[in-house]
Amino acid sequence: MDSTSIKVCHNRRISSHKVFKPLAARGKTSVDWFFGFKLHLVVNEQGELLNAILTPGNVDDRQPVPQLLQQLFGRVFADRGYVSQKLALQLWQDWGI
C-alpha cells in the first residue's frame, strides 16, 4: 500500500486555478508542497491492482486505509506514512489484518 501525489497545477498558480478548486487541496509530501490529489493504491505480490482511492491532497494517509482494506485479507505492507498503533489495533479487531 502506498500513495502518490497528483499535482493539478504549479504552486504559483494555486490562487488562480479554478477547475479543481472545490475538490483538490494543498498537501505535503516528503519532498515538497503541492496542490491536487493523493492516489492511494493497494497491490498484491504480483503487482496486480487490488484497490484504489483518490483523496484531496490534505487528507492524512491513514484515513482511507479502512476503506482500502475493507474486502481484503492477509498481511499488509505499507509506506511509513500509514503506520499508527491505533490504526493497527483497529484493523486487527475489525478484519484480523
Side-chain angles (χ1 to χ4, degrees), residues 27-91:
K28 185 175 182 344
T29 63
S30 59
V31 179
D32 64 346
W33 288 89
F34 70 97
F35 180 75
F37 303 97
K38 282 186 186 176
L39 177 64
H40 303 270
L41 298 173
V42 179
V43 296
N44 64 9
E45 62 274 1
Q46 284 92 26
E48 299 168 339
L49 182 64
L50 300 177
N51 207 348
I53 292 180
L54 191 67
T55 62
N58 62 350
V59 172
D60 183 20
D61 284 346
R62 295 170 289 204
Q63 186 177 345
V65 171
Q67 188 178 358
L68 278 167
L69 302 177
Q70 193 169 9
Q71 302 294 324
L72 304 178
F73 60 91
R75 294 179 186 223
V76 177
F77 297 94
D79 187 62
R80 186 171 174 90
Y82 293 97
V83 176
S84 123
Q85 185 66 31
K86 180 181 173 186
L87 179 61
L89 289 173
Q90 178 188 356
L91 292 176

